[in-house]
Amino acid sequence: MILFCEFNPTLRKEYRVVDFEKNKVNTFSENFEYPTGEILDSMLLVDKLSANSTLLTYLGGKTGELFKNELNKRGITPVIVHSKDESMEEILIRSRSLKTTIRGEYPVLTNDEEETLFSKFNELLQNANIVLIAAKGNPNIDSTLYKNFFNLCYKNGVRVLTAPNEIEDVIDVKPYLMVVDKEDLENYTNFIIKTQSQVVKASNIIFEKGVGVLVVNSQTGVMVNTKGASYRVDFNDLKYSVSKFDKNKLNAGIALGIERGYDFEMTLKLGIACAIIESAVKNREAEMADLKALMNDIHVHIIRGEM
């Protein structure tokens, strides 16, 4: 089972206006209300491939109830810790030339609620093969608690995949797989990275801290490094221009590939397809056929193989 941990659940109300004009009354052409979150969005994508998944989150108030109901409509029954604070709500306004988000305050969990969240996590971990944890989206989540989720995974031998805001946030809790941007790796290692060998050299510093796999994203492509091997996917090989690369969706695809026992190349292709699917499929939800077609377009270059 893949355990998805959504620590910043948000109920979004989206309004679409063809040509938004400031200081005027605008009429929306479409409106939607739906649950969202970095990890939840990743889970919803791989669930189209019938993933064996469980969602852990916290919800509170009327907003939390609406969030849960929307998930139930999608056939998802999350494991919920009930909070006293109202869940996060945001309004998204889209037009041809504008995208504006109006967000409420982040909820604060009480000590009891944080203890319950950790207890639920511990229970679910007993049946989990892989865990996905995003960057700490809610700044009110206790940093020690956040790291303890990783520490518990490490203690139980369960692989955890993450895409932190800062490498320093998780480097000392030994995630199995970490996805970072090239610029973040440069900032952490104080290296200027221009070549593949420099990526490998910088990755070795990360491996010394106990990380198992490092995925490095850049404008031109992705490098995947382990202690003994390196692989590359070039965006120039693709039919589509990559306008968005979602690191959490990459992790979701890789987690599904691992859980199903796919070989490394197939797992990486699935992960990359999930990460860039929004570049290929626009103005509608991606389907399983879209992911499969995109996977066929991805070529994995072996830079150095396992010895």
Side-chain angles (χ1 to χ4, degrees):
M1 179 263 286
I2 305 172
L3 176 58
F4 290 82
C5 301
E6 180 53 74
F7 296 146
N8 189 27
T10 302
L11 185 69
R12 177 180 293 161
K13 296 179 180 179
E14 180 175 337
Y15 297 89
R16 296 187 178 180
V17 181
V18 178
D19 289 305
F20 188 89
E21 296 183 80
K22 292 188 291 184
N23 303 318
K24 290 189 177 182
V25 175
N26 292 267
T27 302
F28 60 82
S29 56
E30 296 179 282
N31 68 305
F32 315 92
E33 184 175 76
Y34 52 92
T36 186
E38 290 184 331
I39 289 296
L40 173 60
D41 293 348
S42 303
M43 176 182 169
L44 292 174
L45 177 61
V46 297
D47 271 3
K48 296 179 185 297
L49 301 173
S50 302
N52 178 18
S53 59
T54 298
L55 177 68
L56 171 66
T57 191
Y58 57 88
L59 298 171
K62 293 182 179 179
T63 305
E65 190 66 24
L66 289 170
F67 187 102
K68 184 188 74 171
N69 291 340
E70 288 297 321
L71 285 181
N72 292 162
K73 290 177 184 177
R74 296 170 179 251
I76 297 172
T77 304
V79 177
I80 298 171
V81 173
H82 296 281
S83 64
K84 292 180 181 179
D85 267 12
E86 192 82 16
S87 289
M88 170 66 76
E89 183 177 9
E90 70 178 27
I91 296 172
L92 174 63
I93 302 173
R94 289 182 187 267
S95 74
R96 288 174 179 173
S97 59
L98 174 143
K99 179 181 177 182
T100 297
T101 300
I102 304 167
R103 182 173 292 146
E105 294 184 357
Y106 288 101
V108 177
L109 298 183
T110 66
N111 289 337
D112 286 345
E113 290 164 356
E114 288 185 340
E115 289 177 7
T116 303
L117 185 63
F118 189 71
S119 177
K120 293 279 189 184
F121 179 82
N122 189 22
E123 291 175 15
L124 293 169
L125 199 61
Q126 307 312 309
N127 296 312
N129 299 317
I130 305 167
V131 175
L132 263 70
I133 301 176
K136 193 175 68 130
N138 182 349
N140 294 326
I141 294 288
D142 181 74
S143 295
T144 300
L145 172 67
Y146 178 71
K147 289 188 175 184
N148 281 343
F149 291 115
F150 290 87
N151 287 327
L152 191 61
C153 290
Y154 186 77
K155 179 180 177 182
N156 285 271
V158 178
R159 289 171 285 194
V160 57
L161 283 57
T162 190
N165 286 330
E166 302 286 344
I167 292 176
E168 291 86 349
D169 293 342
V170 298
I171 190 66
D172 59 339
V173 289
K174 301 179 177 67
Y176 169 72
L177 182 148
M178 183 166 63
V179 189
V180 301
D181 291 326
K182 179 176 75 74
E183 294 76 14
D184 294 328
L185 185 60
E186 288 178 324
N187 291 336
Y188 181 79
T189 60
N190 292 318
F191 286 175
I192 295 175
I193 298 173
K194 293 184 178 180
T195 65
Q196 291 177 171
S197 61
Q198 289 171 336
V199 176
V200 172
K201 183 178 179 181
S203 298
N204 288 334
I205 294 176
I206 303 298
F207 298 143
E208 289 174 0
K209 300 291 186 178
V211 175
V213 182
L214 183 68
V215 182
V216 183
N217 175 50
S218 71
Q219 291 183 343
T220 58
V222 177
M223 270 190 69
V224 181
N225 300 293
T226 68
K227 287 184 178 180
S230 296
Y231 307 85
R232 188 185 76 245
V233 172
D234 293 328
F235 292 155
N236 286 338
D237 292 342
L238 305 174
K239 297 176 182 176
Y240 303 95
S241 173
V242 177
S243 57
K244 182 175 181 181
F245 186 91
D246 191 311
K247 290 179 281 194
N248 288 294
K249 288 180 180 176
L250 171 86
N251 281 342
I254 289 177
L256 181 59
I258 293 173
E259 206 253 347
R260 290 188 170 174
Y262 293 167
D263 63 30
F264 184 87
E265 183 173 336
M266 181 67 72
T267 297
L268 182 54
K269 284 185 174 185
L270 178 56
I272 298 292
C274 289
I276 65 175
I277 189 65
E278 291 181 48
S279 298
V281 178
K282 300 178 180 179
N283 301 319
R284 66 175 176 83
E285 288 191 2
E287 301 295 338
M288 180 170 61
D290 298 315
L291 287 168
K292 289 184 176 179
L294 194 49
M295 287 174 66
N296 290 332
D297 196 32
I298 295 170
H299 181 67
V300 178
H301 301 272
I302 301 176
I303 299 171
R304 57 187 182 112
E306 295 282 2
M307 300 298 292

